[in-house]
Amino acid sequence: MANSAGRFLKIFSKNIKEMRGPAPYEVNGLRVNCVHCRHDRFDHGFAQLNTALLSFLNLDFANRSANILTCDRCGYVHWFNKDIRKVRV
């Protein structure tokens, strides 16, 4: 029983790491490749697009955000104003 529980936890943790780790993405139906090194695995994040007026009024939270993909190999940051989708491998 303990052995099967240990196996389950090992597989579960591996799947969690894969879900949260670098992955391939696509934008508008096109697969994303790094423009610098041609790698296809990225970490996904968001960046706020600040404007001078809203920053002056201390309303930065009201600004829009962009999707960013950071290449897992070279670290090049790709910015997207459109929705991105993680590709299932």
Side-chain angles (χ1 to χ4, degrees):
M1 176 87 170
N3 191 20
S4 62
R7 253 185 305 170
F8 170 77
L9 288 174
K10 192 173 189 178
I11 292 170
F12 181 74
S13 66
K14 180 182 175 196
N15 288 338
I16 293 294
K17 285 179 187 174
E18 287 177 3
M19 283 181 6
R20 303 199 81 211
Y25 286 86
E26 66 179 30
V27 178
N28 284 344
L30 298 173
R31 195 80 178 251
V32 179
N33 288 315
C34 179
V35 298
H36 182 69
C37 71
R38 302 286 180 211
H39 193 56
D40 69 343
R41 305 276 183 206
F42 301 90
D43 289 312
H44 177 250
F46 297 95
Q48 196 158 11
L49 303 172
N50 291 335
T51 60
L53 177 62
L54 290 179
S55 292
F56 177 76
L57 298 173
N58 202 21
L59 297 172
D60 288 318
F61 67 90
N63 285 309
R64 294 179 28 213
S65 293
N67 286 296
I68 60 169
L69 294 177
T70 305
C71 179
D72 183 49
R73 182 186 291 159
C74 72
Y76 189 90
V77 179
H78 301 73
W79 292 68
F80 294 95
N81 195 24
K82 305 242 181 216
D83 290 330
I84 63 173
R85 186 175 75 83
K86 185 185 271 191
V87 177
R88 302 284 177 220
V89 194

